[in-house]
Amino acid sequence: MKLVVTGGAGFIGSNFVRHVLARHPRYTIRNLDKLTYSGNLHTLQDVKDRRHTFVRGDIGDRRRVQEALKGTDAIVHFAAESHVDRSILDSTAFIKTNVLGTQCLLDAARHAGVKRFVLVSTDEVYGSAPTGEKFTEESLIAPNSPYAASKAGADLLARAYFRTYRFPVIITRCTNNYGPYQYPEKFVPLIISRAVKGESIPVYGDGLQIRDWIHVMDHCSGLDAVLHQGRDGEIYNLGAGNEWTNLEIARRILQLVGKSDSLLTYVQDRPGHDRRYALNSDKAEKELGWGPQITLEDGLKQTVDWYLSNDEWIRRVTARTYRAYYRQQYDQRASTMKKVLTRGGKK
Ligand code: NAD
Ligand code: TYD
């Protein structure tokens, strides 16, 4: 199979690249990634296999995408802006990449005759789960953050491409991932990387929000099952049934790092913060025979060990800091604004 993976220099995509190369000896992967702040070639440094080729490019760049898709059998689409907090600060890049980029990719894939398109969506499209309830694939979607809304846009577009064009799309909605190579702005690696330095751990609001934590390799095996056994036009929830509050997760990690709970610092809550995510994954279990294999206890320990022995990776991927990223974004916006104002003035 000739596979295109988008966003394969990011957290889940890079783990999926390793998974496919190890599991499917006859597959080739073309990895299309823009290398934004969260994508980094250091993340792929150990991937030496010639069956993997890297192409730098934006999924919204039609020509680049058409070129990258030549001869492709299937696509697993990870590329996205992925951090809720950033989407609250400015959702522009989220709409550009997650909605318009996905539309560009879907169109190019349809015209290239791609036979399978797996869209990696998220449980966040459902919004917050009421106590005692778990979302099924039939549940209504009600995204609460600009990130979740942009993912819902992509998710619905993919669904429409199946309905309208019979383009063979499958949608997956997974819960919160943790594991190696996650950019340290996300909760789990943020706790580890700050705790080792003895820095405070920001806990949003009361810290009692619940997430269902899945190890990234369990997500990858779910995507593999969907890619090979999933049915066109279907949605598959991929959850782990590991519901924990943020405080519980933070305390467990601090214990593993050997640091005290006194590092936990309550800070102002995230606006629109979803209280709970919870998925019913019976469909994936019944149809695909898929289920998570890694317990939270083992997975967290392995993840903490990985971060502790890969501080060089953390140093390298954060070298292009948040500040540099935002400066670039805001400079661009400021200069566009200036042009508009000048033009307006002349009129
Ligand atoms: P990530 O931020 O680590 O990686 C995203 C990757 O996409 C990066 O390599 C980045 O360079 C690339 N990218 C961004 N914009 C691009 C563009 N315009 N063109 C090409 N490449 C671009 O994110 P992640 O956590 O690995 O998430 C991957 C996917 O999985 C996303 O679609 C996300 O919504 C979804 N997802 C994530 C989780 C989670 O817990 N992390 C859970 C469910 C679903
Ligand atoms: P995050 O990793 O950003 O994932 P998501 O928002 O997609 O679930 O956050 C996980 C949870 O941890 C979420 O409830 C927000 C919370 N959180 C904190 O309390 N402090 C932090 O510094 C971060 C980044 C997240």
Side-chain angles (χ1 to χ4, degrees):
M1 187 187 280
K2 290 199 175 81
L3 199 60
V4 160
V5 165
T6 69
F11 166 45
I12 309 175
S14 65
N15 278 291
F16 186 72
V17 164
R18 283 187 198 85
H19 167 94
V20 169
L21 292 173
R23 291 290 168 87
H24 302 290
R26 293 165 65 84
Y27 286 21
T28 60
I29 303 176
R30 203 172 289 151
N31 184 348
L32 175 67
D33 195 301
K34 186 179 174 183
L35 298 181
T36 65
Y37 77 98
S38 76
N40 203 299
L41 288 178
H42 295 301
T43 298
L44 293 164
Q45 221 168 20
D46 61 314
V47 179
K48 308 270 189 229
D49 201 311
R50 285 180 168 210
R51 292 177 296 136
H52 170 258
T53 48
F54 183 79
V55 180
R56 187 168 189 183
D58 190 322
I59 55 164
D61 178 345
R62 195 164 296 269
R63 273 218 194 134
R64 195 87 177 134
V65 169
Q66 280 168 345
E67 193 63 34
L69 292 191
K70 277 186 188 151
T72 299
D73 297 308
I75 300 180
V76 184
H77 174 34
F78 295 92
E81 289 293 334
S82 66
H83 191 40
V84 173
D85 291 333
R86 285 179 187 250
S87 80
I88 294 168
L89 287 175
D90 184 352
S91 60
T92 312
F94 288 75
I95 304 305
K96 270 194 191 147
T97 287
N98 302 0
V99 184
L100 296 175
T102 298
Q103 183 256 340
C104 177
L105 194 66
L106 280 165
D107 266 346
R110 189 166 73 85
H111 289 118
V114 170
K115 292 179 218 58
R116 177 140 285 187
F117 187 112
V118 178
L119 176 90
V120 184
S121 188
T122 165
D123 63 351
E124 300 195 28
V125 298
Y126 295 117
S128 200
T131 311
E133 255 182 61
K134 289 187 176 197
F135 291 123
T136 72
E137 291 81 355
E138 308 299 320
S139 301
L140 283 182
I141 63 172
N144 289 319
S145 70
Y147 161 70
S150 69
K151 290 296 291 185
D155 189 308
L156 291 177
L157 262 179
R159 178 182 178 278
Y161 272 59
F162 176 73
R163 294 289 171 126
T164 307
Y165 309 112
R166 290 284 136 187
F167 180 59
V169 173
I170 308 182
I171 296 163
T172 63
R173 295 177 181 157
C174 189
T175 52
N176 283 64
N177 285 223
Y178 68 94
Y181 299 106
Q182 187 169 29
Y183 194 79
E185 66 186 350
K186 302 279 170 62
F187 198 44
V188 168
L190 180 125
I191 299 172
I192 305 169
S193 55
R194 291 184 68 88
V196 287
K197 291 184 269 174
E199 291 172 356
S200 64
I201 312 296
V203 175
Y204 297 168
D206 61 8
L208 298 179
Q209 304 83 1
I210 292 170
R211 296 292 182 265
D212 172 9
W213 294 96
I214 189 169
H215 191 277
V216 64
M217 292 320 290
D218 277 333
H219 185 186
C220 291
S221 70
L223 291 170
D224 189 326
V226 167
L227 177 65
H228 294 96
Q229 293 146 246
R231 286 183 297 129
D232 291 341
E234 294 293 321
I235 300 168
Y236 295 92
N237 283 348
L238 302 173
N242 278 324
E243 286 187 45
W244 294 94
T245 66
N246 291 340
L247 268 180
E248 284 166 332
I249 288 291
R251 288 196 178 115
R252 275 176 172 229
I253 295 174
L254 285 173
Q255 206 174 15
L256 287 166
V257 179
K259 290 290 161 102
S260 140
D261 286 5
S262 61
L263 290 180
L264 297 174
T265 308
Y266 292 90
V267 299
Q268 196 182 11
D269 205 354
R270 172 191 276 174
H273 200 170
D274 284 329
R275 199 68 183 160
R276 174 170 171 256
Y277 293 142
L279 286 182
N280 174 323
S281 313
D282 289 354
K283 181 173 171 182
E285 201 177 305
K286 281 187 196 128
E287 275 191 30
L288 313 172
W290 173 83
Q293 302 297 316
I294 304 169
T295 62
L296 188 76
E297 197 178 10
D298 290 350
L300 268 189
K301 185 174 179 335
Q302 180 246 38
T303 303
V304 168
D305 289 347
W306 188 87
Y307 279 94
L308 295 184
S309 43
N310 285 278
D311 54 344
E312 177 61 11
W313 178 84
I314 300 183
R315 205 185 55 72
R316 286 188 170 209
V317 300
T318 51
R320 294 179 300 163
T321 55
Y322 308 99
R323 246 181 304 132
Y325 174 75
Y326 277 117
R327 202 178 313 124
Q328 182 207 337
Q329 297 291 313
Y330 287 126
D331 281 355
Q332 267 175 15
R333 289 176 65 215
S335 109
T336 315
M337 193 54 75
K338 207 169 154 188
K339 276 184 211 152
V340 171
L341 290 174
T342 321
R343 233 184 288 135
K346 275 178 191 161
K347 275 181 192 166

